[in-house]
Amino acid sequence: MGNGGGQEETKKAGQWEERYRKYRSAVFAIAYRMLGSAADAEDVVQDVFLSVPDAGPEGADDPIRHEKAYLSRMAVNRCLNLLNSSARKRETYVGPWLPEPLVRSEDDLPEEAAERGEAVSYAFMVMLEKLGPLERAVFVLRETLGYDYEAIAGLVGKSEANCRQIYSRAKRKLGDGAPVREPLGLEKQRSLARRFAESFREGRTQELVRLLASDAVLMTDGGGKVRAAINPIYGRDRGLALLAAMAKGSMKGARFEEVAFGGGIGLAAWQGDRLHAVISFDWSGEDEPLRNLFTIFNPDKLARIRPRLAGEEVVKDRT
């Protein structure tokens, strides 16, 4: 009888591992795009899979039916709860709240590399901050993950007609919006990021003028913890003034390293072994390429990003 119990536990563990392997990336994609934080998304993934009952969602004795839809609904519900609970914190946040970029690492497992490689652009993640929790859920499921309205209705607990209305409202809020994916190839992005880093470090203003669009927008996220612009900086001239102040001030002598974000190429600014900032670009084209520049200074966010960049990430228990 004891042996039978052991076999049953082994079987359950095998079912858990298979379910985790098959659906982890799908659950993570929902959570990251809804929350804008890779760390929070990982927590949701772990919570979802550890909360799955042995029986089906309706108490059936057979394994969970329609597993992906069931797990997705769990992820959406947890993300909505987190977004609703954090709404007041973001309203009182000092300066712009920027998402934590989805940083790729050489140590990624194949499925992790795939989910990060298929990520939406960072500029698009920033745009999503304009939406309320339910609008964000519907828009993410429809626009970036390709769910039909019937499936979305089941995931968010609304009618199909209501989901269509919510999606339309979200589209209006975003306007033309940013592209879901980066408009330039990775090699072109890499070349432009290097030009920016060299020009910034060496104070070559004219080169920065050529890189910045005339209507460029610069956003910095210090979270009230460190000095940063508390409002977006609009226009090339004001943007150049901010970059000059950064180059002569807190980022003087910084060492830049290329960073592979989920949707493109960015930069990490190091001062010794301290991660001082992470920079993300929104390139629009060849003539006036840089339309948005996003810089994270908030030390709390950098503390969560740094281990991946430094190759020090602690591998989570996947069982």
Side-chain angles (χ1 to χ4, degrees):
M1 188 168 180
N3 184 43
Q7 290 178 345
E8 182 63 25
E9 288 301 317
T10 300
K11 179 181 178 181
K12 289 180 180 179
Q15 291 174 342
W16 191 97
E17 291 174 0
E18 181 180 2
R19 186 181 296 130
Y20 185 91
R21 179 183 56 78
K22 286 176 64 177
Y23 301 116
R24 179 197 177 282
S25 292
V27 173
F28 181 88
I30 291 172
Y32 175 70
R33 294 173 194 188
M34 283 188 63
L35 300 175
S37 166
D40 289 346
E42 290 285 5
D43 289 342
V44 168
V45 168
Q46 295 295 323
D47 184 38
V48 164
F49 282 95
L50 290 174
S51 300
V52 175
D54 296 330
E58 298 178 0
D61 293 330
D62 57 327
I64 291 176
R65 297 165 293 180
H66 310 299
E67 287 183 322
K68 184 177 181 180
Y70 182 61
L71 295 168
S72 297
R73 185 164 64 252
M74 292 176 70
V76 168
N77 288 337
R78 280 160 174 74
C79 289
L80 285 173
N81 289 337
L82 285 172
L83 287 172
N84 284 317
S85 64
S86 65
R88 185 173 297 276
K89 291 181 181 179
R90 294 195 184 180
E91 287 175 1
T92 59
Y93 194 84
V94 179
W97 189 96
L98 293 177
E100 294 171 28
L102 192 58
V103 178
R104 295 205 299 270
S105 166
E106 293 181 356
D107 297 326
D108 284 341
L109 296 176
E111 61 270 21
E112 293 173 330
E115 74 193 13
R116 284 169 167 79
E118 295 173 358
V120 297
S121 75
Y122 186 78
F124 190 80
M125 292 296 298
V126 175
M127 292 285 294
L128 290 177
E129 291 303 311
K130 297 180 180 181
L131 304 178
L134 187 57
E135 291 171 337
R136 185 161 179 159
V138 171
F139 190 80
V140 162
L141 292 169
R142 178 65 178 170
E143 188 77 10
T144 74
L145 297 172
Y147 283 74
D148 60 34
Y149 286 108
E150 181 181 2
I152 295 172
L155 292 176
V156 302
K158 301 290 182 180
S159 68
E160 289 186 46
N162 199 353
C163 288
R164 291 178 186 275
Q165 293 174 347
I166 294 170
Y167 176 77
S168 296
R169 185 168 67 242
K171 289 278 282 186
R172 289 194 299 272
K173 280 190 177 183
L174 296 179
D176 294 335
V180 175
R181 302 192 184 280
E182 297 289 352
L184 299 178
L186 291 181
E187 286 307 313
K188 183 61 177 178
Q189 290 185 57
R190 186 171 287 112
S191 174
L192 289 168
R194 289 171 180 169
R195 283 175 58 192
F196 176 90
E198 292 170 1
S199 302
F200 179 89
R201 185 174 53 244
E202 298 171 11
R204 288 192 271 132
T205 304
Q206 289 305 310
E207 180 65 13
L208 288 174
V209 168
R210 285 190 285 270
L211 283 173
L212 284 173
S214 59
D215 58 350
V217 180
L218 283 68
M219 298 176 67
T220 60
D221 179 348
K225 304 293 182 69
V226 296
R227 188 174 181 179
I230 62 173
N231 294 304
I233 303 300
Y234 296 96
R236 180 188 286 148
D237 291 342
R238 295 186 65 198
L240 287 171
L242 175 63
L243 292 175
M246 290 163 57
K248 295 176 182 178
S250 64
M251 293 183 70
K252 184 177 180 179
R255 170 175 54 88
F256 290 99
E257 288 185 356
E258 178 186 306
V259 180
F261 291 160
I265 302 297
L267 295 171
W270 296 86
Q271 291 180 326
D273 62 354
R274 182 173 71 92
L275 179 61
H276 180 70
V278 172
I279 302 172
S280 180
F281 305 95
D282 178 22
W283 305 106
S284 59
E286 300 291 336
D287 298 328
E288 292 183 328
L290 186 54
R291 59 184 173 187
N292 292 291
L293 179 69
F294 309 105
T295 306
I296 295 176
F297 291 112
N298 187 331
D300 294 338
K301 293 183 179 182
L302 295 177
R304 293 191 288 268
I305 297 170
R306 185 188 184 282
R308 291 191 64 81
L309 298 180
E312 300 170 354
E313 184 176 35
V314 177
V315 178
K316 292 186 177 182
D317 184 2
R318 299 179 185 278
T319 61

